[in-house]
Each structure stands twice: as structure tokens, then as C-alpha cells.
Amino acid sequence: MGSAHSSCSLLTTSSTEHFCFPQSPICVSKLRPANQNQIRSIKFTSHSFRCCSSLQNLPSRCNQVGEFETQVKSLKTMADIHGIDQELLNKIVYDALVWSSLHGLVVGDKSVKRSGTVPGVGLVHSPIALLPGSFPETHWKQACELVSIFNELVDRVSLDGKFLQESLSRTKKADDFTSRLLDIHSKMLQMDKKEEIRLGLHRSDYMLDEKTKLLLQVELNTISSSFAGLSQIVSKLHSDLLDQYGEVLGLDSRMIPENNSGKQFAEALAKAWTEYNNPSTVIMIVVQAEERNMYDQHWLSVHLRKRHNVKTIRKTLAEIDREGELQSDGTLLVDGQAVAVVYFRAGYTPIDYPSETEWAARLLVEQSSAVKCPSISYHLAGTKKIQQELAKPNVLERFLDNKEDIAKIRKCFAGLWSLDDKDIVKKAIEAPDLFVMKPQREGGGNNIYGDDVRKTLVRLQKEGNVEDAAYILMQRIFPSVYPTIFVRDGICHKDHAISELGIFGAYLRKKDKVIVNDQCGYLMRTKVSSSNEGGVAAGFAVLDSIYLT
């Protein structure tokens, strides 16, 4: 259930205020008031911003002692964030950009041609929110408690081949990509292929609905659940910024939850490698040919090497087809190296399969004895159609025994419907703004909103073919809107935003023994409130972290 249903784009709106940095230096030593009384007595001042397209006016470090003349006060709530004095704001942005560069909070710069293929070429800081976003602690705990239940649910659904094939049978007729995935799954069923070691690195995405105050699931990602590496770092950035400026802002870094997502994902991969029980093997990361988010992936490789002494290799599907071979015992060799675990950071979108070569590689991996993350059945269990099927009455009971667990999951389900539900389709045509149309696609930028929902539904009704099976309808979630400060390409601007919380989870089972079923940190993605689509790598969202309230 891949990309975010409401996603994040930094579209410029009339409310957006841009600024560039003044040349006057700011003295760090004078930013922190002497005591809390001083904090309460200081006032914010409001400033307009000047547009800026470069970093040439960034302030230099203060090299002399002087009075910090700008007056600030502590933030009563995070909602006061737009009232931070400009001079202080400039300083925080400057330090955030330096910190990001020094700590690897980076992505490839799209303006540099080789940035997606050659490491270290064309780096730019990851798009970020300058300060963490508020999130209720009760809903944070609820999201964390759901992780182990969803992990178990995915595993049990993956084992029910008949359910997967039947649930996706109409989708197969309408969607070529899903059809090819189902063909591979069907071949594995015919082979009676057993995955004795099953590894899932998942991310369940939620929004907090403003009207109902309910935490509602947007989707559950079972393939290429990205940003575990960088999420950990942005949480550390925000924590360090609040350690430095928290007293002046009236914010406490201890209210940012600990986030070790990169380390924990790496630990789960290492445990799967250990269970494979061949110390001469490697973990293979399946990557896209051009990957500007490679540093998020490389952080996992660093943790695997330093903490677990496990070697990783990076290969595209085309390279796997060219260099891969299957030995008689099922061992997968790629470029002469035995592979214990295959970690997919590609293969979730049709553009990853431009030819039969890539499909042959996917089949080769699936036929092998290597641990797949995800296996084809885990991949299919994460499709939007399966998400919609699980929301039907009495379907969860097919896979889960605990009534309390079932109730917890049902509570977070948004409305989900098939397009063969004529009453819902009629309502969506009449009130399209209350619905989202989702195809069976991952990665952001695929969903249909607003009047396009009505137009698409009317067209599908007129054509009367099976194309409607390629979509589901979902209740549109309307989360709270709050002020934030975005930083992208070294340029900062104020706007109003909404956020999506993703909770990472790891699940590892060997035969009947569950080895790992853990919550593994989180991803907070924030976008301007006027945007529909989401995804940081897709260019819509920024990375953020949580400030518990």
C-alpha cells in the first residue's frame, strides 16, 4: 500500500513567506537568555521576508562579543512557530544546514546529472521542516501499539495464496503490473515454494483526522519502506537544535521521541542474514539505476558493516539478470557472490521493469533460497486492493484470532471501497472532495483528487470495462493544519502544513518461530496544506520529526 494518499508538495501559495539571510553576523553566545523570567519578558517581532535564490548571503559566525539586540520569547505552543524573530530564525536555519551537511542528512541534487549514479557528486541537504511538528502523545502510543499487529497480519495474509489470488483477480485483468506480480506469485504456488525465513520491513502511514480526532491509516507499505536511514538523522537534528535553542524557544528536546529507525532496520536485516547461516554471504540491495535517495540506503549499509560485520552489495534488476545464477541447491549467486538476503529498494513501480530482463531478475530472486524483503507474497499483501479487502466485515477474523487486536486495527481503518460498490461511486461523483481514488501504484504522485475523481468515475461508468478494478476509493482524511517552516535547497519559507506519520516495523520469522516483531522508529513527512500528493523523494514532502504534546 505504497505512496501517501495525501502527500506533500511544496507548492507556493499566497500565504507563503520566503526569506534569504542577512549579512549581519549573529552571536551564538547571546541567543540564550539568562533565566526563565527573561524568557517570559521578551517579545516577538514580526518581519516580512525577501525572496532569495542562493546562499551567498548566509551569515558568518560571530567573532566578537556583543549584545544580541533582537528580542524573542518562549513559544507557548508549536503553533507560535511563525512568530520566531527573523534574526534568530536565520541563525537556526544556518546551523541546521551546517549540521545536515556534517551528519549526512543529504540527498542527490536533481540539477546535477550524475547525482543519482555517482556517490558524493551533487549533494544537497534533505528537504526538512526546521523544527519538529506537534503530535498528541496518546495517538503516538496508539500508532506504536499497532505495529506488531500489522506485522503479524501481513505475514498471515502472505501465507494465504488463495486469498491473494482471488482478491486481486479483477485487478489482474485491469492492471498489467499487478498481473505480472501475480504471475510470479502463481508460479511460486505451483512450485510449492516455501519461504522458511520471512522478513518484512514495513511502514504503516497515518493521519490524524481533525474532525473525528481519530488516527486513520493511509496505507501499509511492505516494499521499499524508505527513509529509515534519514529519519533517524532528522530526529537527531531537531533534538540537537532544541538542545541549543530550546531554552530561548521554550521547547524541550526530551519531547522528541527516540528514533533509531536506521539502526533497527539494519539489525533486522542482520538477524535474517544470521538465520540464513552462511557467513560467506552478502546482503544485496536492489536499487534503481538512478537513485538520488541513495544515502538513506547507504546508512543501512554502514550500520550493517560497522555494527554487524555484514557486507552489502548494490545491484539493479538488470544487473541481477546479467550477473545472477541459481545453483542447484537454490543459492543465489550475483557476480560470483552468494546472497543471503535480498532487500528491495526498487521493483515497486512499473518504471522499474522497462523490459523482460527486469522481470526475469525478479523471478530469479523469487525462485532462490535467499531471504526476500519482501517476498512476492509480502509485496502483494501490501497492495491497495488487499488493504481494501481487509477492511471488509469479517475478513480480519480470517487472519487474526485476538478480538482486541482486531478492534484496534478496525479503529484505525479509514473508509475503503471497491468501485463495484455502486452506492459509494454515486456518492463520490456527487461529493468528489470527500474521496481519493487510488491505483495499485507506489511511490507518490499516482492518486486522483477533487473534480478529477468525478471525471474519472463518470468516464469509467460510460466505458463499462474492467479498468475500474485497477482502483479503489478511500475516504479522504482531513488532518489538522498548523504553521511550520520549510527548508529546501538552502531556502527557507513559512507556510501552513499537514503531516503524515509513518511507523516502521520489522518482522522476522523462521518456520514457526517469530524472531523479531518490533516497532523500529518512525518517519514524519510534512507538506504544505494546499498539496494533495506526498513523498519526499518524489519532491512533494519534507522530512520532519515529532514533538509530543
Side-chain angles (χ1 to χ4, degrees):
M1 308 161 195
S3 70
H5 117 296
S6 109
S7 15
C8 307
S9 150
L10 276 137
L11 300 177
T12 303
T13 67
S14 58
S15 64
T16 303
E17 294 181 283
H18 297 265
F19 73 84
C20 64
F21 302 94
Q23 295 190 26
S24 57
I26 298 170
C27 189
V28 186
S29 63
K30 294 299 179 180
L31 290 177
R32 193 180 294 272
N35 55 56
Q36 291 298 315
N37 290 330
Q38 184 178 349
I39 293 175
R40 285 190 288 270
S41 68
I42 300 174
K43 297 181 179 179
F44 276 105
T45 55
S46 175
H47 294 268
S48 61
F49 296 102
R50 294 175 289 127
C51 291
C52 179
S53 60
S54 72
L55 291 177
Q56 61 185 2
N57 292 324
L58 278 171
S60 59
R61 289 278 181 179
C62 179
N63 55 16
Q64 61 182 11
V65 177
E67 289 300 319
F68 180 57
E69 296 177 354
T70 305
Q71 292 187 321
V72 295
K73 72 171 184 181
S74 60
L75 298 175
K76 293 178 181 177
T77 68
M78 292 298 291
D80 295 334
I81 194 170
H82 281 183
I84 299 175
D85 176 86
Q86 163 115 30
E87 195 171 358
L88 172 61
L89 190 55
N90 293 347
K91 187 68 196 83
I92 299 174
V93 172
Y94 180 89
D95 284 349
L97 294 175
V98 171
W99 193 101
S100 298
S101 301
L102 294 176
H103 292 82
L105 185 54
V106 294
V107 294
D109 186 346
K110 290 183 179 180
S111 67
V112 179
K113 186 175 182 180
R114 296 194 300 153
S115 65
T117 55
V118 183
V121 173
L123 300 186
V124 64
H125 73 89
S126 173
I128 57 171
L130 182 62
L131 295 172
S134 296
F135 200 85
E137 187 172 7
T138 52
H139 291 94
W140 158 252
K141 290 180 178 178
Q142 178 191 354
C144 292
E145 289 172 357
L146 287 167
V147 173
S148 61
I149 308 173
F150 273 115
N151 285 344
E152 187 72 35
L153 177 62
V154 169
D155 187 62
R156 294 191 181 187
V157 169
S158 75
L159 294 173
D160 194 332
K162 182 179 179 181
F163 173 78
L164 290 172
Q165 288 284 334
E166 290 180 352
S167 297
L168 291 164
S169 58
R170 286 194 72 241
T171 305
K172 180 177 183 177
K173 297 175 182 178
D175 186 89
D176 290 339
F177 179 63
T178 304
S179 177
R180 295 299 299 265
L181 296 175
L182 283 167
D183 286 344
I184 294 175
H185 180 252
S186 181
K187 289 176 181 178
M188 296 305 103
L189 293 177
Q190 293 170 11
M191 292 172 54
D192 196 25
K193 181 77 166 56
K194 303 295 185 184
E195 300 293 335
E196 292 191 350
I197 306 173
R198 305 194 293 279
L199 173 65
L201 296 179
H202 307 144
R203 194 188 71 233
S204 185
D205 294 334
Y206 303 92
M207 282 184 165
L208 185 56
D209 186 63
E210 171 65 18
K211 184 176 180 180
T212 63
K213 305 302 180 185
L214 292 175
L215 186 74
L216 298 179
Q217 187 184 55
V218 176
E219 61 197 349
L220 178 62
N221 302 272
T222 61
I223 182 169
S224 188
S225 300
S226 60
F227 286 110
L230 294 188
S231 288
Q232 176 175 324
I233 304 176
V234 78
S235 295
K236 179 62 175 169
L237 163 66
H238 285 160
S239 181
D240 282 7
L241 286 176
L242 293 195
D243 284 341
Q244 184 174 359
Y245 296 104
E247 187 176 351
V248 116
L249 297 174
L251 300 175
D252 188 345
S253 64
R254 293 173 295 180
M255 301 309 293
I256 299 175
E258 185 177 9
N259 189 4
N260 291 312
S261 50
K263 291 180 181 178
Q264 288 182 270
F265 261 23
E267 183 175 354
L269 286 163
K271 286 183 177 179
W273 176 86
T274 299
E275 293 299 326
Y276 190 80
N277 197 28
N278 184 345
S280 65
T281 56
V282 300
I283 292 177
M284 180 172 67
I285 305 175
V286 183
V287 299
Q288 294 174 328
E290 293 187 4
E291 178 57 88
R292 290 181 174 85
N293 194 31
M294 69 172 77
Y295 305 100
D296 177 60
Q297 303 164 6
H298 279 300
W299 273 117
L300 299 187
S301 295
V302 168
H303 294 314
L304 282 165
R305 177 175 54 83
K306 286 191 171 184
R307 297 168 65 90
H308 306 285
N309 198 29
V310 177
K311 180 183 176 182
T312 60
I313 59 173
R314 298 169 60 83
K315 298 291 180 180
T316 65
L317 286 167
E319 288 172 332
I320 293 170
D321 179 67
R322 184 168 62 249
E323 303 171 9
E325 60 177 297
L326 203 60
Q327 295 191 314
S328 58
D329 63 353
T331 300
L332 175 64
L333 296 180
V334 178
D335 194 21
Q337 300 178 90
V339 177
V341 180
V342 181
Y343 173 41
F344 282 95
R345 290 297 295 264
Y348 56 85
T349 172
I351 63 173
D352 289 339
Y353 300 87
S355 70
E356 288 302 311
T357 292
E358 288 77 17
W359 285 112
R362 184 68 188 268
L363 178 60
L364 180 72
V365 169
E366 209 62 38
Q367 291 173 323
S368 76
S369 62
V371 182
K372 299 95 182 168
C373 182
S375 64
I376 193 68
S377 58
Y378 267 45
H379 186 167
L380 292 171
T383 57
K384 293 174 177 65
K385 180 60 180 176
I386 295 300
Q387 182 183 12
Q388 180 254 312
E389 287 291 319
L390 291 172
K392 288 182 177 180
N394 303 315
V395 176
L396 284 176
E397 285 79 358
R398 178 170 177 168
F399 302 104
L400 299 175
D401 304 318
N402 188 301
K403 292 183 179 180
E404 290 184 5
D405 288 348
I406 293 171
K408 288 177 182 178
I409 286 185
R410 282 227 169 90
K411 185 178 179 181
C412 79
F413 277 167
L416 293 157
W417 304 275
S418 166
L419 266 63
D420 57 11
D421 187 328
K422 302 305 179 185
D423 290 337
I424 286 295
V425 169
K426 181 182 178 182
K427 290 178 181 178
I429 291 173
E430 293 171 350
D433 288 338
L434 300 181
F435 296 86
V436 180
M437 279 187 73
K438 293 187 170 188
Q440 308 300 317
R441 293 290 180 270
E442 314 295 334
N446 301 300
N447 300 329
I448 301 172
Y449 298 88
D451 198 52
D452 288 338
V453 171
R454 181 189 61 79
K455 292 177 180 178
T456 305
L457 290 173
V458 170
R459 177 181 64 80
L460 291 174
Q461 283 186 334
K462 288 181 178 179
E463 293 174 355
N465 54 33
V466 296
E467 187 188 344
D468 63 346
Y471 298 90
I472 66 165
L473 274 171
M474 182 174 180
Q475 165 195 349
R476 187 163 184 177
I477 305 168
F478 295 94
S480 300
V481 177
Y482 63 92
T484 196
I485 299 171
F486 296 96
V487 185
R488 183 187 289 275
D489 294 327
I491 300 171
C492 174
H493 76 264
K494 298 176 178 181
D495 213 319
H496 287 80
I498 57 177
S499 290
E500 185 171 313
L501 172 66
I503 304 292
F504 293 113
Y507 187 88
L508 178 63
R509 177 191 286 270
K510 185 172 185 179
K511 296 183 179 178
D512 294 330
K513 180 183 178 183
V514 176
I515 299 167
V516 176
N517 187 3
D518 293 332
Q519 184 254 346
C520 296
Y522 69 94
L523 164 67
M524 188 78 155
R525 287 172 297 176
T526 296
K527 66 174 185 178
V528 292
S529 57
S530 59
S531 169
N532 287 326
E533 282 300 346
V536 178
F540 299 109
V542 300
L543 294 177
D544 203 347
S545 64
I546 290 175
Y547 190 89
L548 294 178
T549 59

